């Protein structure tokens, strides 16, 4: 549909009006989207890596944008005209290994392999550490001369191969950084491991009293443990993303000429013809060619009523075909479908760019050079003061070990990933990383009504309005249809014996008809019955027609969304201001507000009015969370301090919202505010731990009061403390 051919109209369902506009915007965005390349980054593991990779790519001619996803270890690049072969050497010169991502590879499998590799190296280093510690006990117990040297040599024979093998991730990353002329975070780690090992070999060869093979292996062990904990923390979000695949239809009925066969959805291609039977979920995006039915669009558009489907209508993967068989021509399937785009939002949840992340990146950029300056300064100072090269090298090694920047690098991403993973399991996707920080500042929550506080499960307003003699007829007709209004009517008339009807027939997209004692009966849409419906009514309606009598209008109202009452009550109990803005008439809005305990409500507000209301609140100093369906609330969502949409309006939500509610329950909205405050607190605590540890520990190392072994213990404890502090978000919110 062109812009010129789109004529604005007013209808009873705002979603029906806004859905075509959202579809046109999505189509335009797809048409204008630049070429994208996705490269795998197997060695990326910290905030400094993000800065280096994005900086190197952005400096290359032809690259418009580059965004690293640290959780999935990949970078998405907008670079029209460039290929992976053009960009891989750019990252190699920057000291980072990269290769083109195989779209058929499973990200989870790659993550499992990385986890198994880390576990293997942890096992080797842990086993070696225990054996070396046993030998060290003998030395500490007073072994002298040849016995001590023998134990040192045995320790070295165990430690040196272990450090080479288990430290390979650090050595490889450090070498790539040095080749690129940069001091990455793994450079001081690798230097500390090499120095500790070299000092130990020297001391053993000189029959020295102390060797630090145990420190080198222990340092390697705890570094790997910290890195594995970070890997597992990030894997929380990956496993949560995989849960979305449960919504996908694995197989579809493909029509080939006159033959129908069942094929995997991944084998579908644009232009294929598929058949979708009543009750089935749409397996791919497509256009209806044959058949009429009614479609439940709650998953992707949040429309409160099923939509009549007829030839020419566009349907999306994940929607449910309710009544009649349909033949669709596929327009997008698999990873290109609407449902797959929802899964893609998980990646955006990991790309935090708030002020805390920026602070971590700035600190990491200057941290590595500062560590080397401190270590070199300590070496020169002790060499000048004592003239003892051996002592000076030992102290420099202790400084390098104790100032390992791992804790700083874990401070923000561990918290962000843990929080986003927890919220996703509760049904909430964080689309923008800064949303957590902004969410923690919210003091006012604005709700839309239709599709947000209400669920789209209709309920008959007044069962008593149906005359007693028509109730058996209405019940029998309602039982013959799968339409939600018919189901609601049947539920309301439960207990009334249904009449025995003849020729009961469902007319997809229209209603249901039958005969009773020679009279025609109909239950369905107003236009099918030939009556004029009130398009301005806030209630949903269906019509009952009995031959010889005037049609009877049946009014329905939306059911309350699960968790809405608890969500509002919790927000009010926490002292937040709650406001209801709706385009509906005053009466139903007032009734809903009274039922939820919302004292501030406004009815009859159009989308522009909603945006102006949110802007006025912001101008008054309020930090507003806007919760809307993302279709007719796009302007208000964009103006809010932070915004949230149900998965109902996916296309609009991708443009305007910071978060997406994937489930039906509204309770996670209130919980998200609590988790956001906890996440902000954990980030601050992690920075305090990182900097406080260095303020206390570094002077001890510089003054010669910490051996390399003690430094290894202190550094590892700080990294593990930061990671475990982030994992506290996995617990119950208080």
């Amino acid at each position: 549909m062109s812009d010129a051919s789109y004529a604005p109209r007013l209808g009873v369902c705002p979603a029906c009006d806004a859905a075509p506009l959202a579809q046109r915007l999505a189509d335009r965005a797809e048409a204008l989207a630049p070429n994208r390349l996705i490269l795998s980054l197997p060695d990326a593991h910290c905030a400094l890596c993000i800065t280096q990779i994005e900086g190197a790519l952005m400096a290359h001619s032809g690259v418009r944008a580059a965004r690293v996803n640290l959780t999935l270890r990949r970078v998405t690049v907008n670079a029209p005209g460039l290929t992976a072969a053009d960009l891989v050497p750019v990252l190699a010169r920057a000291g980072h290994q990269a290769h083109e991502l195989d779209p058929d590879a499973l990200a989870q499998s790659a993550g499992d392999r990385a986890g198994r590799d880390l576990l293997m190296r942890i096992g080797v280093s842990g086993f070696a550490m225990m054996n070396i510690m046993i030998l060290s006990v003998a030395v500490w117990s007073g072994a002298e001369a040849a016995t001590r040297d023998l134990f040192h040599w045995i320790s070295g024979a165990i430690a040196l191969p272990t450090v080479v093998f288990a430290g390979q991730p650090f050595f490889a990353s450090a070498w790539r950084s040095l080749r690129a002329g940069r001091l990455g975070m793994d450079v001081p780690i690798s230097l500390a491991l090499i120095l500790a090992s070299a000092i130990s070999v020297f001391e053993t060869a000189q029959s020295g009293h102390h060797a630090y093979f145990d420190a080198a292996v222990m340092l390697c062990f705890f570094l790997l443990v910290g890195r594995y904990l970070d890997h597992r923390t990030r894997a929380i979000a990956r496993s949560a993303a995989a849960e979305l695949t449960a919504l996908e239809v694995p197989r579809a009925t493909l029509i080939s000429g006159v033959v129908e066969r069942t094929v995997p959805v991944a084998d579908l291609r644009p232009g294929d013809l598929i058949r979708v039977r009543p009750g089935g979920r749409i397996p791919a995006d497509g256009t209806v060619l044959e058949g009429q039915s009614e479609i439940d669009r709650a998953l992707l558009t949040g429309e409160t009523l099923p939509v009549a489907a007829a030839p020419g209508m566009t349907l999306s993967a994940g929607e449910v075909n309710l009544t009649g068989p349909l033949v669709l021509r596929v327009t997008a399937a698999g990873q290109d479908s609407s449902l797959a785009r929802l899964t893609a939002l998980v990646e955006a949840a990991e790309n935090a760019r708030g002020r805390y992340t920026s602070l971590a990146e700035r600190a990491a950029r200057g941290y590595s050079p500062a560590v080397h300056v401190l270590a070199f300064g300590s070496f020169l100072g002790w060499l000048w003061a004592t003239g003892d090269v051996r002592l000076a090298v030992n102290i420099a090694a202790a400084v390098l070990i104790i100032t390992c920047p791992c804790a700083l690098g874990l401070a923000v991403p561990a918290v962000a990933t843990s929080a986003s993973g927890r919220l996703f399991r509760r049904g909430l996707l964080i689309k923008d990383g800064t949303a957590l920080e902004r969410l923690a500042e919210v003091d006012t929550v604005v709700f839309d009504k239709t599709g947000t506080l209400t669920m789209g499960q209709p309920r008959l307003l007044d069962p008593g309005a149906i005359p007693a003699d028509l109730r058996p007829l209405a019940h029998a007709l309602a039982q013959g249809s799968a339409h939600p209004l018919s189901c609601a009517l049947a539920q309301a008339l439960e207990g009334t014996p249904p009449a025995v009807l003849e020729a009961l027939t469902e007319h997809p997209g229209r209603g249901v008809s039958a005969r009773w004692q020679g009279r025609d009966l109909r239950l369905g849409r107003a236009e099918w019955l030939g009556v004029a419906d009130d398009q301005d009514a806030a209630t949903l309606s269906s019509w009952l027609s009995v031959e010889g009598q005037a049609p009877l209008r049946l009014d329905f109202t939306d059911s309350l969304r699960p968790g809405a009452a608890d969500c509002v009550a919790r927000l009010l109990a926490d002292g937040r201001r709650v406001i209801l803005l709706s385009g509906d008439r005053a009466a139903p809005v007032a009734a809903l507000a009274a039922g939820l305990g919302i004292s501030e409500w406004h009815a009859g507000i159009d989308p522009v009015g909603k945006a102006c209301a949110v802007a006025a609140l912001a101008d008054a100093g309020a930090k507003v969370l806007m919760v809307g369906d993302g279709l007719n609330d796009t302007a208000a969502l964009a103006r809010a301090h932070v915004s949230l949409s149900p998965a109902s309006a996916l296309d609009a939500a991708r443009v305007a919202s910071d978060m997406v509610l994937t489930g039906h329950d509204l309770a996670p909205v209130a919980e998200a505010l609590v988790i956001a405050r906890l996440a902000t607190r954990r980030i601050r605590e992690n920075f305090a731990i990182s900097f406080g540890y260095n303020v206390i520990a570094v002077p001890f190392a510089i003054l010669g009061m910490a051996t390399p072994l003690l430094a290894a213990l202190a550094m590892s404890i700080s990294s593990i403390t930061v990671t475990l502090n982030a994992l506290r978000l996995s617990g119950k919110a208080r």
Side-chain angles (χ1 to χ4, degrees), residues 113-130:
R113 286 195 298 270
R116 288 195 298 268
D117 181 75
L118 285 173
L119 281 175
M120 178 179 62
R121 299 180 192 278
I122 289 172
V124 171
S125 58
F127 180 76
M129 181 182 67
M130 288 186 292

Side-chain angles (χ1 to χ4, degrees), residues 265-352:
V265 169
D267 292 345
L268 294 178
R269 296 293 180 267
D272 287 346
L273 299 183
I274 58 174
R275 186 180 303 279
V276 184
R277 293 180 172 82
R281 192 178 292 276
I282 308 297
D285 297 353
T287 303
V288 178
L289 291 184
E290 300 176 10
Q292 290 187 334
S293 183
E294 293 186 306
I295 303 299
D296 179 0
R297 315 193 80 170
L299 177 66
L300 297 179
T301 67
E303 296 179 16
T304 55
L305 273 182
V307 178
M313 182 176 179
T314 299
L315 303 181
S316 299
E319 297 172 345
V320 178
N321 180 21
L322 296 177
T323 52
L326 297 173
V327 175
L328 275 68
R329 184 180 299 278
V330 175
T331 57
Q335 294 303 311
D336 298 324
S337 69
S338 302
L339 195 57
R341 292 200 297 268
L342 176 60
T343 308
L345 290 177
V346 180
E347 291 191 31
E350 310 306 326
N351 294 322

Side-chain angles (χ1 to χ4, degrees), residues 56-81:
L57 290 172
M58 290 301 295
H60 187 70
S61 177
V63 176
R64 295 182 179 178
R67 195 64 178 265
V68 173
N69 186 314
L70 193 58
T71 296
L72 298 178
R73 285 187 169 88
R74 65 179 60 166
V75 59
T76 302
V77 186
N78 287 339

Side-chain angles (χ1 to χ4, degrees), residues 131 147-148 167 169 341 368 374 604:
N131 282 277
T147 304
R148 180 190 62 220
R341 292 200 297 268
S368 186
L374 273 176

Side-chain angles (χ1 to χ4, degrees), residues 46-48 51 185 354-367 405 407-413 683 687 691:
C46 64
L48 186 58
T51 304
M185 295 176 70
R355 61 177 180 269
Y356 295 108
T357 301
S358 298
L359 176 60
E361 291 177 354
R362 289 196 301 269
R365 280 197 295 269
Y367 196 89
L408 182 64
L410 291 173
V412 174
I683 290 173
F687 276 119
F691 287 108

Side-chain angles (χ1 to χ4, degrees), residues 616-635:
L617 289 169
D619 292 340
K623 302 295 185 182
V624 179
L625 165 62
M626 174 68 193
V627 185
D629 61 14
L631 288 170
N632 57 344
D633 296 322
T634 304

Side-chain angles (χ1 to χ4, degrees), residues 219 397-403 693 701 706-716:
L219 172 63
V399 172
L400 279 173
I401 293 171
I402 212 165
T403 55
Y693 155 76
T707 65
L709 175 60
L710 293 177
L713 283 171
M715 180 282 307
S716 301

